[in-house]
Amino acid sequence: MTAARIVRREAPACADWPEDVHPVLRRVYAARGLRTHAETKLGLADLLSPALMGGIDAAVSLLVEAIRQDRRIVVVGDFDCDGATGVAVGVRGLRMLGARHVAYRVPHRIEHGYGLTPALVDALRVLDPQVVVTVDNGIACHSGIAAAKAQGWSVLVTDHHLPGAVLPPADAIVNPNLAGDIFPSKALAGVGTLFYLLLATRQRLRGEGWFDISRFAQGEPDLACLLDLVAVGTIADMVPLDANNRVLVAAGLRRMRKGQCLPGLRALVEVAGRRLDRLGASDIGFFVAPRLNAAGRLEDMAIGVECLLSDDPAHAAELARTLDAINRERRDVQESMLDDASLLVAATAAGSAVSVCVRDARWHPGVVGLVASKLKDRLHRPVIAFAPAAEAGGEWRGSARSIPGFHIRDALAEVDAMHPGLIRRFGGHAMAAGLSLMQGELDAFAAAFETAASRRIAPELLEAVVMSDGELGPGEFGLDLARRLRDGGPWGQGFPEPQFDGRFEVRSWRVVGERHLKYELDGFGARIDAIEFGGWTGEPPPPSLRIVYRLDINTWRDRESAQLVIVHREP
């Protein structure tokens, strides 16, 4: 197990909680900054107003004119889950609002590169678009947008990535992270940003009498039917679940649990072996999103988008099975690459290094992000993994993952400023970023990045910390609390799922599935089941364990029981 220090979250005492809110849940909420019961209510009426978002008026005007003038609109997404769900929201939403000529394209990772590139613009010419709408990309696509404008197309950028010093030459830009934008939630995912644009567009069209009975026999369209897609994309992109994002995710989960979700999402849930009526954010993050992401990593994300756009359950199920097969292949590729990366780190990493850069000419560029993430978790260091961008050309693409306290995009910006021309392109967030550079510059970049990381990372940031919500007491290990914790979310990035710590005696243990450990523990004289995924190292566990765990629900043949999922075991 990784050496780490267990730290218990502080939970200020809060009064005026209803008696039916379990004391443990009150403690968990308080530790996440919620002080009153009202703050736990997540209704759509609590959503922030689209009018607060900068650039929204110009973007709405462009879309309203395109809809009224029956213009050809092409939605351009990214090849990850946020981008795929964003494309589906854009295509479905624009059609609901009355746009009759809406198509989409997602760049191929190898052929086109990231976002709206000149290569993708060239591929779009066959569609003869008049308006291009980006989702989850565009803010760094200067050359691609210039190429689109040269074709005479209008370009509307919706994105959430951090902008550079100069904005691209788009006709309109909606991005909550633009300088001076007063929208309070800077954590919107790409899919959430586009959903907000659709809300504002519907409001403008409503005021102009667009939804009259002659055009819309069923009345004004209900964009709430897109919230399942918004929830999936938001969870998958691991943006912080601030209050506004929790409203969006909670609304989407409610719809999915009631079975009010798209055939494609239902099919993905079923092929992953999950149940809609018990679906949680972790089910989406660990089972649904990887199957969508796999298409963009190894194949073509158009397969994932078609699954989300299909209204035929049989066709959606067929596409979901294809995505499931691609995801199994992705897991095999990932394991092989991770083994290679671990050997590289063991052979070359200096003990004093605060960052890790690894590369291999045989690696798949669509999987390096997962390798970087796994290595980051193991080493508790920022990691960048590189693979060739294509068979020829000499360009390599890197995927970066960071640790808390180290803003990796800002570090890349520092390297770019100190060594102009070293990095060809870069972009991203505090915790994840991507970049491109030439093969001959890999060593120079690794040295420059290590210098920047060393300046920015204090020694204490290199100590891994596992956060805990304290101990559970006698009588608190049952199904009742497990269900309350499951339903008390949604949990995710920035609003972490509850986990607790304690010491337990091991009554018995066994290996399951070759890599996992199943335990029977003794806690306060009671038998407690527990599982530690990936816990088998070839050595028997000690007779006494100090662990950090989640109180979870194990479902077997429609029977539920409480179990602990061990997320950290002290060596």
Side-chain angles (χ1 to χ4, degrees), residues 443-466:
D443 290 336
F445 170 80
F449 183 73
E450 171 67 16
T451 299
S454 298
R455 278 199 294 263
R456 290 170 171 265
I457 298 178
E460 58 268 22
L461 292 180
L462 297 176
E463 180 185 20
V465 171
V466 180

Side-chain angles (χ1 to χ4, degrees), residues 49-302:
S49 169
L52 297 172
M53 192 171 287
I56 199 79
D57 289 338
V60 168
S61 295
L62 195 158
L63 273 190
V64 166
E65 183 179 6
I67 292 171
R68 285 190 172 277
Q69 298 297 322
D70 216 16
R71 292 179 177 169
R72 293 180 299 279
I73 304 172
V74 176
V75 181
V76 174
D78 186 15
F79 34 59
D80 67 0
C81 189
D82 185 17
T85 53
V87 166
V89 164
V91 171
R92 287 182 174 275
L94 287 169
R95 289 172 179 170
M96 290 169 66
L97 294 176
R100 297 194 301 169
H101 304 289
V102 184
Y104 79 89
R105 283 295 182 271
V106 178
H108 190 282
R109 189 182 293 268
I110 302 298
E111 296 175 11
H112 305 120
Y114 168 78
L116 185 63
T117 61
L120 183 59
V121 168
D122 189 55
L124 291 178
R125 291 169 61 188
V126 68
L127 297 174
D128 193 21
Q130 294 168 294
V131 178
V132 172
V133 178
T134 73
V135 55
D136 194 33
N137 75 96
I139 201 65
C141 300
H142 294 256
S143 59
I145 292 173
K149 295 288 293 177
Q151 295 291 328
W153 309 340
S154 298
V155 180
L156 194 172
V157 168
T158 73
D159 202 350
H160 69 129
H161 294 96
L162 297 174
V166 179
L167 296 179
D171 294 273
I173 300 176
V174 179
N175 183 334
N177 288 297
L178 292 183
D181 194 302
I182 64 169
F183 191 73
S185 173
K186 305 303 180 184
L188 272 181
V191 65
T193 304
L194 184 55
F195 180 71
Y196 257 82
L197 175 58
L198 293 175
L199 291 177
T201 303
R202 182 183 62 177
Q203 186 176 17
R204 176 83 65 84
L205 289 169
R206 178 194 301 146
E208 296 180 0
W210 177 250
F211 301 114
D212 62 67
I213 193 69
S214 66
R215 293 193 188 89
F216 293 84
Q218 304 301 319
E220 181 177 300
D222 182 9
L223 296 178
C225 69
L226 303 174
L227 284 166
D228 51 358
L229 291 167
V230 177
V232 171
T234 300
I235 293 167
D237 216 44
M238 295 190 293
V239 293
L241 292 189
D242 61 8
N244 203 62
N245 275 341
R246 281 188 287 120
V247 170
L248 291 170
V249 170
L253 285 175
R254 285 195 296 269
R255 293 187 64 88
M256 296 181 77
R257 288 171 184 160
K258 293 176 182 177
Q260 298 172 337
C261 63
L262 297 173
L265 288 179
R266 177 188 291 272
L268 285 167
V269 170
E270 291 174 352
V271 80
R274 303 291 99 183
R275 287 183 50 160
L276 272 177
D277 60 337
R278 299 172 183 171
L279 199 70
S282 60
D283 295 306
I284 291 173
F286 289 110
F287 296 98
V288 176
R291 284 165 170 81
L292 272 173
N293 272 326
R297 294 187 186 281
L298 297 187
E299 297 283 345
D300 184 350
M301 183 49 94

Side-chain angles (χ1 to χ4, degrees), residues 42 113 175 205 286 300 311 331 339 341 379 386 406 427 438 468 491 498 505 541 548 552:
L42 301 173
N175 183 334
L205 289 169
F286 289 110
D300 184 350
D311 291 319
R331 285 199 297 262
D339 289 343
L379 304 173
F386 289 93
F406 177 60
M438 300 305 293
S468 165
W491 313 103
E505 301 302 314
V548 178
D552 196 29

Side-chain angles (χ1 to χ4, degrees), residues 18 84 93 98 106 151 233 245 329 382 403 429 490 536 539-540:
V106 178
Q151 295 291 328
N245 275 341
E329 179 186 356
I403 58 175
H429 308 288
W536 176 239
E539 297 291 332

Side-chain angles (χ1 to χ4, degrees), residues 394-409:
E395 182 177 285
W396 285 55
R397 292 182 185 147
S399 194
R401 297 295 183 269
S402 191
I403 58 175
F406 177 60
H407 197 301
I408 203 156
R409 186 202 172 277

